[in-house]
Amino acid sequence: MTQQVRRALGRLPVLVGVILLAGVNGALAGSAATDPTTPSAPPLQGAAPVRQSLANTCVFGDPVGERPVTVDVEATLPKVVETGKPVQVKDFSLTFTIGEKALGDVAEVAGGATVELTAAREDKKTPVAVPLTIPATQVPATGELKLVATGKVPDILLKVAGELRLSTGAPSLALTAAGTPLKPIACKQAPDQDTLLGSVTLLTFKTPQTPAGKPGEQKKPGTDARAADSPEDGDLYPIALQPFEMQGTSTIARLGAFARLKPGFMINAVWHVDLENTEGPGKITGSVMMPASQATFLGFGFVPITGTMELLPEDHLTGNHIIDVDGVTIPEPEGSSTVLIPLKVYAKLTDVTVNGVKLDVGGKCLTAKPIELNLRGEKYGMFTGGVVRTDPKTADPAYRDFTLPGFSGCGVTEDLDSLLTGMAAGPGNQACVGVNQVGLPWDAERKCPNVDPPVARR
């Protein structure tokens, strides 16, 4: 019996109740709470610090008038929040860098500030006013003054899945010196700045269904990975997993292009295990959200091309943008697994420019048929993640590369299908996806090579 299955089976008494009553988002936390010897699981809402520096012009009292003020914003944002639960922004602060003598001849100031965040989902926007407190701060005789304002951001509650974007507006200051109020300071932001503080993914979690019937005996996988039997769902026991983050890269051989894909998420992840044959194949299922990614490369080796690519499921015409995962897991002796993930997705192109000139491809420019991806990953941790990829050195040709089909429906004023097909379509392309449980650090064994851009390009 493999170490991963043994660890999972040790939690079965708790997981039975958790799966039925709480769903994916509570399964692992419930087992840790019941068994004090089990380490507590990382929080479901993995969080990350965000920072931005914004240029403002603020109006001080006479005779100072307008002065430039830099406002540095810091906060901690959750990565994933279940719909219907509050989005909590933690550790929120503004640091004002104010020029020498902008406040006149005062020795110490205190007071408060106000800033308005904008919470946006799709085209709907809601203002969120945040009151802040500035403690008593000594004003230096020479040089810049730094005022740190801290406060609590009101909880934001949304019941619809999607991406919540938070942007920072212009602040205002109300200060006192020696108990005497100073003239209120109003600020306005300099134009052409990126005011996006960060984004939070709102997801609706599902509860995996307990299979009907009794576990059945499974066949052993063959030496050819593609021939590994995928057991029927009714023969397997579901073990709910926490959400996963995903980072990916891809190459297009004909263009000589390398692209870093925008990070996505896998939710509703379930590991299906055969309890009577834990060393036989199992399954992993889940739902993947892959945002559109921008790419820049040289067409024909010298023409600069930019574009946005989005991967869509086969039933995308119904409005569905969620990609279903249904893969095979093969236990490895040391406790990890080999994971085989077949995918069929369409690639959609938008916002294409060639040598700086917009190429009007329209809104229906997709591959003429789905891209067939066969991804394989060894030493994959079912609870933590790993890397699944194509590999030109693998023995099985199904996992060596993928073929990009030709394009169809491209062009508004002219037919651009043959142009795009000629530039990009063909075999020999590579794909890699790193999968990491939300809340865990991105360790090297779960990251694709070169997924991080060079420091100068971050």
Side-chain angles (χ1 to χ4, degrees):
M1 185 181 293
T2 68
Q3 295 176 18
Q4 280 196 304
V5 174
R6 188 179 297 111
R7 175 171 48 165
L9 295 181
R11 301 175 175 180
L12 285 180
V14 176
L15 283 171
V16 170
V18 171
I19 290 172
L20 293 176
L21 299 178
V24 172
N25 57 323
L28 299 184
S31 65
T34 303
D35 182 359
T37 65
T38 303
S40 58
L44 173 64
Q45 294 185 6
V50 291
R51 298 177 177 85
Q52 65 180 170
S53 185
L54 297 172
N56 289 259
T57 300
C58 301
V59 181
F60 296 85
D62 294 334
V64 177
E66 291 188 350
R67 289 283 186 90
V69 173
T70 300
V71 179
D72 294 308
V73 188
E74 295 190 18
T76 300
L77 296 183
K79 298 177 182 179
V80 182
V81 174
E82 184 176 0
T83 53
K85 294 188 177 181
V87 175
Q88 297 179 327
V89 180
K90 302 288 189 179
D91 311 318
F92 186 78
S93 69
L94 301 182
T95 300
F96 297 84
T97 302
I98 300 173
E100 183 177 336
K101 298 297 183 182
L103 296 178
D105 293 322
V106 298
E108 183 180 88
V109 293
T114 302
V115 68
E116 187 175 89
L117 301 180
T118 298
R121 192 192 70 84
E122 296 182 347
D123 59 347
K124 298 179 181 179
K125 298 181 179 180
T126 301
V128 180
V130 184
L132 304 152
T133 300
I134 299 174
T137 304
Q138 296 290 324
V139 178
T142 59
E144 297 176 330
L145 166 66
K146 289 188 180 292
L147 296 178
V148 179
T150 59
K152 184 180 185 304
V153 179
D155 290 348
I156 303 167
L157 186 66
L158 290 177
K159 297 182 179 180
V160 182
E163 182 184 49
L164 174 68
R165 303 180 305 280
L166 292 174
S167 301
T168 307
S172 60
L173 290 151
L175 302 174
T176 61
T180 302
L182 303 180
K183 178 183 177 180
I185 301 168
C187 303
K188 61 180 180 181
Q189 290 178 334
D192 301 324
Q193 295 185 93
D194 183 4
T195 61
L196 180 66
L197 178 62
S199 60
V200 179
T201 300
L202 302 170
L203 301 177
T204 300
F205 298 125
K206 298 177 182 178
T207 302
Q209 300 297 314
T210 301
K214 298 181 179 179
E217 184 178 357
Q218 300 303 319
K219 297 179 180 179
K220 297 285 186 179
T223 55
D224 185 346
R226 286 178 299 161
D229 293 317
S230 179
E232 296 296 328
D233 289 340
D235 295 332
L236 301 176
Y237 188 89
I239 298 175
L241 306 175
Q242 292 194 15
F244 292 90
E245 300 174 86
M246 306 177 72
Q247 296 178 346
T249 62
S250 179
T251 64
I252 304 299
R254 182 166 287 187
L255 287 169
F258 175 84
R260 296 177 178 88
L261 306 182
K262 190 172 182 179
F265 289 95
M266 181 166 69
I267 62 171
N268 305 327
V270 181
W271 181 25
H272 306 260
V273 179
D274 181 352
L275 301 185
E276 291 192 358
N277 182 20
T278 56
E279 296 184 4
K283 293 180 65 174
I284 182 170
T285 59
S287 303
V288 170
M289 302 175 64
M290 291 292 292
S293 301
Q294 293 184 329
T296 301
F297 44 85
L298 295 178
F300 304 112
F302 64 92
V303 181
I305 299 173
T306 63
T308 299
M309 182 189 70
E310 184 177 9
L311 298 179
L312 298 172
E314 290 184 281
D315 61 346
H316 64 93
L317 293 178
T318 65
N320 177 38
H321 283 203
I322 305 296
I323 301 169
D324 290 330
V325 171
D326 190 350
V328 175
T329 63
I330 304 171
E332 296 173 346
E334 67 274 16
S336 58
S337 296
T338 293
V339 176
L340 311 174
I341 306 291
L343 292 174
K344 288 187 178 182
V345 292
Y346 284 90
K348 181 178 181 180
L349 288 179
T350 55
D351 302 324
V352 179
T353 65
V354 178
N355 202 23
V357 178
K358 182 177 180 180
L359 197 64
D360 195 357
V361 298
K364 299 180 180 179
C365 182
L366 293 93
T367 49
K369 61 181 182 179
I371 303 169
E372 296 188 13
L373 282 169
N374 290 301
L375 305 177
R376 185 176 186 273
E378 297 179 349
K379 303 186 184 306
Y380 189 98
M382 298 307 301
F383 293 102
T384 55
V387 173
V388 293
R389 59 180 300 176
T390 57
D391 184 352
K393 298 179 181 179
T394 191
D396 190 337
Y399 296 95
R400 289 177 187 166
D401 57 29
F402 72 92
T403 296
L404 183 65
F407 287 86
S408 177
C410 306
V412 175
T413 59
E414 57 180 323
D415 187 348
L416 300 174
D417 292 351
S418 58
L419 173 65
L420 294 174
T421 297
M423 282 198 303
N429 311 298
Q430 299 295 321
C432 179
V433 179
V435 183
N436 187 67
Q437 181 188 293
V438 168
L440 295 183
W442 273 97
D443 291 339
E445 64 266 22
R446 297 190 291 275
K447 295 180 72 170
C448 294
N450 302 316
V451 71
D452 294 323
V455 173
R457 295 177 58 189
R458 295 180 188 175

